[in-house]
Amino acid sequence: MSIFSSPCTIAQVQAISPLEPLEARMLLCHVTGYTRVQLITQSELYLNDEQLEQLNHLTTQRLAGEPIAYLLGQREFFGLTFKVTPDVLIPRPDTELLVELALERTANAGHLLDLGTGSGAIAIAIAAQDRQIKVNAADISPAALSVAKFNATQLLAANTQIQFHLSDWYSAIPAQKFHTIVSNPPYIVKDDIHLSQGDLRFEPIDALTDHSDGLSAYRKIIDGAPPYLHENAWLLMEHGYDQSDEVQALLKAAGFTDVQSWPDIAGILRVSGGRLGN
Ligand code: GLN
């Protein structure tokens, strides 16, 4: 399908595009290399054939539902631009809460573990704060881990301490104790209607759902945590909009204290956590 044909200026592309204006601009910046301001100042410039072909392709894919983050190959999170591919979940603004809570609770030079790191967004955002936190990040997917490693080399100073582990939750995490464990695990209930809507249709299914009741990852993370936690260390986990009671109950049943939940920017209880005393 050809939406744009030659000759076509930047202004004309924006007038013709069937996409939301913001998304049309994002794709235009991507194919031209221009900034949003340059799109305005250079609006009478003609796109070349290669740019038009690329734009036709990307616009068609977007109309078919492909997430804009995968088309651009990147998404901003915590002020950093992460590479994203269909092998990783697209970082969500909600998840910045988990980063902030972890930073508040991890001392300088503390050890932190991120389970199910995906693109590495949480682990790398924490490491980028340059607090000498020693970050470990794990994922069961080799493809996700290579995206996370790429992001770490792009976004972190060369001397940053970050280690990656190909691991099914704790299975390959070396025996050591952490001051904080964080995770944004797959928590959507099997067959939930949202899995067949919007961006989620294109995201890695194993990063979205546990193919069960939405809580099985929490059971594994909570039950496996004790040998990896220093005394009074925090376990903090993101969850779905209606899962705070259930996640709190799992934490309490496993002997965690100080169990609580925190609201995201939309006011929804989004992260729950607790500490393991003696
Ligand atoms: N926050 C994602 C969503 O609901 C789900 C991510 C996850 O399962 N961890 O779109």
Side-chain angles (χ1 to χ4, degrees), residues 14 16-24 27 58-59 62-63 68:
Q14 294 183 81
I16 300 168
S17 178
L19 302 179
E20 298 275 328
L22 173 66
E23 294 192 347
L27 294 184
L58 292 171
T59 305
R62 181 64 191 131
L63 287 174
I68 199 93

Side-chain angles (χ1 to χ4, degrees), residues 170 215-229 235 237 250-251 253-256 276:
Y170 301 97
L215 297 171
S216 53
Y218 299 109
R219 293 188 191 98
K220 289 182 190 151
I221 293 167
I222 292 169
D223 292 347
Y228 289 97
L229 286 172
L235 170 58
M237 297 166 294
L250 290 171
L251 283 163
F256 281 78
L276 203 57

Side-chain angles (χ1 to χ4, degrees), residues 89-90 92 94-95 184-188 194 200 203 207-209 218 238-240 270:
L89 193 79
I90 300 164
R92 315 284 205 264
D94 309 331
T95 305
N184 175 19
Y187 56 66
I188 299 178
H194 294 100
L200 278 67
E203 293 183 285
L208 291 167
T209 177
Y218 299 109
E238 177 170 325
H239 50 66
R270 180 59 68 188

Side-chain angles (χ1 to χ4, degrees), residues 5-7 15 29-30 39 60 73 111 123 129 163 165 195 198 213 217-218 233 257 268 270 276:
S5 46
S6 187
C29 289
H30 184 69
L39 292 186
T60 307
H111 289 83
Q129 294 300 303
Q163 275 185 48
H165 309 274
L195 293 169
D213 64 353
Y218 299 109
T257 53
I268 294 164
R270 180 59 68 188
L276 203 57

